Amino acid sequence: MNNILLKDKRFVKIIDFGLSCRTNKPIKIFKNDGLDTLYYTYEYLSPELRRNMLYNEKSDMWSFGFTVKQLVEKKGWNPKYLKSIGFFDYNNFISCFLNDKAEHRISASTALMSSFFDFLYEFIYCFCPIEDYYFIKDDFIYTKKDDQLIITYYKSKIILHCSCSIKAKNFCYEKILQAKIKDSAFFYSNYSHNFQFGNHCNFMITFGSVNFLLCELDVFELENLRICFNFLTIGRIIY
């Protein structure tokens, strides 16, 4: 846990990549083959790494799952959202990562689509029925027009499409289908039975000519969306 640095609740950095590797190839970490005896020391390493087998990004997913497990169960860390979703849901989420077979682990992009992360976007809701508005704050222009929330900063523009829009529904369907194809082994396994795609997947973001899910935004873009919804909530309808 000493290699995880927290600046504040929004910024996390991981340091010390001494065992990292850019290519998918066998790597000899230990001097002998008696790797089972080292299990409790190297639990954060995936089974394939401990056995000196081929590995890929799914090994990172094991490490992520084990790190979260350590934070919650051994460090006494109890985020407020765990109380609302229930410990059972947490166990389901962790089971997506801590599988002995790498192909049965979920990928990072699909994991971010999980309902486990809905709490990050709880301020976002269907805004179509709300009256249109226009507001300027700190060089940012916030506009609500029909089924879109638009954030304009000089020549840059980010558009949030409401979950009830046809564009958002079609995009959500495509992204879920892509995730199921990418992680087909996971979704065909028993580990996926309790996996649920989050409500945040129902919204679509357009930046330039490219569309994204909410879970693909960075913290600064998400904060700008929060400002938009703050104006909606307090009823500052001036357009």
Side-chain angles (χ1 to χ4, degrees), residues 56-239:
N56 54 25
E57 69 278 1
K58 293 298 182 74
S59 290
D60 294 331
M61 303 316 296
W62 171 283
S63 299
F64 170 78
F66 182 78
T67 300
V68 174
K69 187 173 186 292
Q70 283 278 89
L71 286 170
V72 175
E73 298 179 9
K74 293 188 177 182
K75 298 297 181 180
W77 180 64
N78 189 19
K80 63 179 182 179
Y81 62 87
L82 282 183
K83 297 179 181 179
S84 62
I85 66 175
F87 202 72
F88 179 73
D89 290 336
Y90 154 75
N91 285 329
N92 289 337
F93 182 69
I94 293 301
S95 69
C96 297
F97 306 99
L98 300 183
N99 304 325
D100 285 342
K101 293 184 178 180
E103 63 271 19
H104 287 168
R105 294 177 211 141
I106 200 169
S107 65
S109 58
T110 304
L112 288 173
M113 298 171 69
S114 168
S115 59
F116 186 80
F117 294 110
D118 272 340
F119 75 97
L120 291 172
Y121 314 96
E122 58 188 7
F123 64 91
I124 298 177
Y125 50 84
C126 178
F127 52 83
C128 280
I130 298 177
E131 186 178 350
D132 293 346
Y133 78 87
Y134 175 90
F135 191 82
I136 300 177
K137 178 180 174 60
D138 299 331
D139 295 325
F140 286 87
I141 301 175
Y142 302 93
T143 307
K144 188 273 174 182
K145 183 69 174 177
D146 299 327
D147 60 359
Q148 297 180 354
L149 278 179
I150 306 169
I151 302 173
T152 306
Y153 181 71
Y154 294 104
K155 294 183 179 181
S156 299
K157 181 184 293 185
I158 298 177
I159 303 174
L160 173 66
H161 301 266
C162 189
S163 58
C164 64
S165 70
I166 299 299
K167 285 185 178 180
K169 289 180 179 179
N170 290 338
F171 183 69
C172 174
Y173 175 81
E174 291 175 5
K175 295 295 285 188
I176 289 177
L177 182 61
Q178 290 173 10
K180 289 184 175 181
I181 293 174
K182 179 179 181 179
D183 289 332
S184 57
F186 167 77
F187 283 104
Y188 278 114
S189 71
N190 293 330
Y191 298 103
S192 68
H193 289 173
N194 295 311
F195 180 86
Q196 291 184 343
F197 288 97
N199 293 327
H200 61 273
C201 295
N202 296 326
F203 293 85
M204 182 181 80
I205 294 287
T206 299
F207 184 76
S209 59
V210 183
N211 297 323
F212 302 92
L213 292 175
L214 287 175
C215 59
E216 297 174 290
L217 297 180
D218 62 33
V219 292
F220 301 105
E221 293 163 340
L222 200 59
E223 184 60 27
N224 275 320
L225 282 181
R226 187 185 298 274
I227 293 174
C228 267
F229 278 90
N230 283 343
F231 291 135
L232 288 175
T233 302
I234 63 178
R236 300 191 69 167
I237 312 301
I238 58 176
Y239 177 71

